Amino acid sequence: MAEQQNQNQNQVVEEDLNHLLKVRREKLAELQESGKDPFKVTKYDVTVHSSEIKENYEVWEGKEVSIAGRLMSKRVMGKASFCNVQDLKGNIQSYVARDSIGEESYKEFKKLDIGDIVGIKGTAFTTKTGEVSIHAESVELLTKSLQILPEKFHGLTNTDLRYRQRYVDLIMNPEVRDTFVKRSQIIKEIRNHLDAQGFMEVETPMLVANAGGAAARPFDTHYNALDEDVKLRISLELYLKRLIVGGLERVYEIGRVFRNEGVDTRHNPEFTLMELYQAYTDYHGMMDLVENLFREVALKVLGTAVVTYDGVEIDLSKPFERISMVDALKKYKDIDFTAIHTDEEAKALADQYHVAYEARHKKGDILSLLFEEFVEEHLIQPTFIIDHPVEISPLTKKKPSDPEYTERFELFITKREMANAYSELNDPLDQIERFKAQEALLAAGDDEANSMDEDFVNALMIGMPPTGGIGIGIDRFVMLLTDSYAIRDVLLFPTLKSAGK
């Protein structure tokens, strides 16, 4: 019985919606027949945005203004009406009187629909209730909306629909628009910070013969003109390091990379990565750089280096903790990995703590698995985890004092990896052996392992100076500074399964 009632209600809603859509088409036809086709309008002179009028009212009071945006509400009251227009910076009320805009224009105004894009010219004033508004002198329809905004019937609360129709999400949810405005500001401030440090922004290929520089499965495609299979890049590393070889001492790139992996709250198959490389420094220099970068960007965008994420205060103003992976395991789980000397002992330790591993895994892999299982959940405040095992760091310089470990760090904040950095491996003979070990893993079924990159090895043969490098996940950084739970909330168009599948 209840199901039948729901079906009847849905049918009524659908019929009402179809009627409203039909009415909008009829209004458009009427406008076109009378020579007032809004789709023939090519421009409108906008002099100010809504928030500028509100925030600087003393400057604009009594002066003529011209705004344009989407009609979000309308209250018709005989000879005078109120409407609300939303533009990029916010929204503002407008008082529309028949005597001010003319009888014919007022009739046309009353036929406007919510969602229409209009231009309003008038003077700034405050109403009796104290609301900053525009006293309209003219209202012009710039674009006719032929669709109903979603809150008219059911609200835009379905997250899948929000991601699929981001354009509607941006209209209906101001906080979503604010997130993406902040994203743009964050990337701008990253560039400003690096440019001021003498870094040069460059661009490297997205279609590559050999997708290296990270442990990830690439997307495969085919280059018809060359009749060659190629891959979408999984990192920016190997080409940027070629530029260091070429003498460009400080380079960076902010760009999309592609990894054929699962989708969850922290992962999207295509995401934005920033990688930079600086000659004549090491991973300690990279720690200083990234700590200053995170702090300064937060200050520039948010006005504070103390941010709130998921109800927890994250302090970027204090020095970030620096602790080795081995010491972190001791600190948070009281496991002394320095007592482990062989692969067999490491696997026995994993068995003891019920941590799953694969037959191919070695001692360093087991350390990484134990770290992921027992340590990551504690890394809420900014923490550099340093000195990773060589098995999981194929492009990193070994620690001279302990060659089982590398000069590498990962920055963790809110339990998430935010950055990954190395003292870069510049010994070509060592690099060849690392690539061979990776190819053995690839042959054994590890589809995330790297393969030999002959040209990159040749570049190292030419000679790369001591270099520090770092990769920062831009999307996760934006999540932190905008208090966004999922990566989809900071990607304008996240990857989704096709509708209906």
Side-chain angles (χ1 to χ4, degrees):
M1 185 68 177
E3 185 178 343
Q4 183 63 44
Q5 287 178 338
N6 287 336
Q7 288 179 349
N8 292 338
Q9 289 175 349
N10 290 337
Q11 184 176 350
V12 170
V13 169
E14 188 173 345
E15 289 175 354
D16 288 346
L17 182 60
N18 289 336
H19 173 70
L20 291 173
L21 293 174
K22 182 173 180 290
V23 168
R24 291 193 179 210
R25 293 291 183 95
E26 290 171 349
K27 288 180 180 179
L28 174 62
E30 183 180 327
L31 287 166
Q32 291 170 331
E33 288 171 5
S34 62
K36 298 178 180 179
D37 187 349
F39 296 116
K40 290 186 177 180
V41 177
T42 58
K43 61 179 290 187
Y44 189 80
D45 185 21
V46 176
T47 61
V48 65
H49 282 98
S50 57
S51 65
E52 296 166 20
I53 300 173
K54 290 181 175 181
E55 293 168 5
N56 302 286
Y57 178 66
E58 67 281 356
V59 174
W60 292 101
E61 182 180 12
K63 294 183 179 177
E64 185 176 275
V65 297
S66 177
I67 69 161
R70 194 174 298 274
L71 191 68
M72 298 303 290
S73 68
K74 186 178 71 167
R75 288 178 291 135
V76 177
M77 301 176 294
K79 298 178 181 179
S81 301
F82 285 95
C83 68
N84 190 281
V85 174
Q86 177 175 289
D87 60 17
L88 171 67
K89 303 285 183 70
N91 62 78
I92 192 167
Q93 178 178 265
S94 180
Y95 173 70
V96 183
R98 184 185 66 182
D99 293 343
S100 298
I101 69 171
E103 186 169 347
E104 188 63 29
S105 293
Y106 191 65
K107 287 181 181 178
E108 293 174 358
F109 168 79
K110 289 196 292 183
K111 292 181 181 179
L112 294 178
D113 291 306
I114 303 304
D116 287 348
I117 296 175
V118 298
I120 295 180
K121 185 179 294 184
T123 54
F125 81 111
T126 54
T127 63
K128 292 179 181 179
T129 60
E131 183 172 353
V132 175
S133 306
I134 298 172
H135 192 302
E137 297 168 1
S138 67
V139 179
E140 183 178 349
L141 176 62
L142 307 177
T143 301
K144 184 67 185 170
S145 174
L146 300 178
Q147 184 59 274
I148 310 296
L149 291 178
E151 102 291 2
K152 179 70 177 177
F153 288 104
H154 49 73
L156 194 62
T157 56
N158 181 302
T159 53
D160 185 70
L161 183 61
R162 285 180 50 227
Y163 298 142
R164 291 185 189 281
Q165 298 185 10
R166 183 66 85 185
Y167 44 92
V168 182
D169 192 23
L170 292 167
I171 294 169
M172 302 310 303
N173 297 315
E175 68 278 5
V176 172
R177 186 167 62 251
D178 291 344
T179 291
F180 289 105
V181 169
K182 279 195 176 74
R183 181 188 174 103
S184 178
Q185 292 172 338
I186 290 165
I187 295 174
K188 174 185 175 183
E189 293 301 337
I190 289 173
R191 286 191 165 103
N192 289 343
H193 184 86
L194 295 178
D195 293 347
Q197 303 289 321
F199 283 88
M200 182 171 74
E201 185 173 10
V202 297
E203 295 173 306
T204 60
M206 288 190 181
L207 292 174
V208 295
N210 188 340
R217 180 193 300 173
F219 285 94
D220 297 310
T221 186
H222 186 76
Y223 199 155
N224 290 335
L226 300 179
D227 192 24
E228 288 185 0
D229 291 333
V230 291
K231 305 175 189 299
L232 291 173
R233 66 185 180 186
I234 60 173
S235 83
L236 314 173
E237 179 167 351
L238 301 184
Y239 281 96
L240 291 176
K241 286 159 94 168
R242 286 169 166 88
L243 299 180
I244 295 292
V245 171
L248 304 182
E249 295 180 359
R250 299 188 180 200
V251 294
Y252 77 94
E253 181 174 6
I254 298 174
R256 283 287 172 124
V257 297
F258 310 87
R259 298 183 182 179
N260 199 348
E261 59 189 12
V263 178
D264 59 30
T265 57
R266 291 186 290 174
H267 297 89
N268 194 73
E270 56 176 306
F271 61 97
T272 303
L273 182 63
M274 189 278 285
E275 287 197 36
L276 67 82
Y277 293 85
Q278 179 180 341
Y280 311 113
T281 190
D282 63 2
Y283 74 142
H284 292 291
M286 290 296 98
M287 278 186 262
D288 295 338
L289 185 148
V290 73
E291 185 172 333
N292 291 331
L293 175 68
F294 272 51
R295 186 175 297 130
E296 289 301 313
V297 171
L299 283 169
K300 288 288 179 62
V301 176
L302 304 179
T304 178
V306 181
V307 303
T308 299
Y309 184 84
D310 196 23
V312 178
E313 192 174 89
I314 306 298
D315 194 346
L316 301 174
S317 67
K318 296 178 180 178
F320 296 3
E321 182 181 6
R322 303 183 183 193
I323 184 172
S324 73
M325 186 177 283
V326 169
D327 289 343
L329 190 60
K330 176 68 174 175
K331 176 179 178 179
Y332 292 107
K333 191 60 179 176
D334 198 28
I335 294 176
D336 183 7
F337 204 79
T338 61
I340 303 300
H341 302 289
T342 67
D343 296 343
E344 290 70 25
E345 290 175 350
K347 290 178 179 179
L349 183 65
D351 291 336
Q352 179 184 339
Y353 286 96
H354 308 290
V355 173
Y357 57 87
E358 298 177 27
R360 62 182 175 81
H361 282 152
K362 299 182 183 298
K363 175 185 167 185
D365 299 301
I366 300 298
L367 171 59
S368 179
L369 292 171
L370 290 168
F371 169 81
E372 291 173 3
E373 183 71 23
F374 299 122
V375 179
E376 284 189 7
E377 62 180 341
H378 299 286
L379 305 179
I380 297 170
Q381 295 301 321
T383 305
F384 290 117
I385 298 295
I386 67 174
D387 301 348
H388 292 54
V390 68
E391 290 89 345
I392 63 168
S393 309
L395 297 168
T396 314
K397 185 171 287 190
K398 295 176 183 177
K399 288 180 67 66
S401 60
D402 190 350
E404 287 190 352
Y405 295 91
T406 60
E407 293 196 344
R408 174 186 176 187
F409 75 76
E410 291 175 297
L411 171 63
F412 283 86
I413 308 176
T414 66
K415 310 177 189 179
R416 294 170 172 167
E417 178 199 335
M418 295 286 180
N420 186 20
Y422 311 151
S423 293
E424 299 296 337
L425 179 61
N426 63 343
D427 179 345
L429 303 180
D430 189 353
Q431 181 65 78
I432 289 171
E433 294 306 312
R434 306 275 192 102
F435 273 141
K436 286 180 178 178
Q438 286 286 301
E439 288 193 323
L441 292 175
L442 194 64
D446 183 357
D447 54 12
E448 293 188 349
N450 290 185
S451 57
M452 184 71 71
D453 188 326
E454 299 284 358
D455 183 71
F456 177 66
V457 170
N458 185 62
L460 293 187
M461 289 286 191
I462 297 293
M464 186 176 82
T467 297
I470 188 166
I472 296 174
I474 297 297
D475 307 310
R476 291 187 186 178
F477 188 31
V478 174
M479 289 167 67
L480 174 67
L481 296 191
T482 60
D483 194 13
S484 300
Y485 174 72
I487 192 170
R488 289 180 175 184
D489 294 327
V490 298
L491 297 175
L492 280 167
F493 301 103
T495 301
L496 300 168
K497 184 177 286 190
S498 299
K501 286 191 177 180

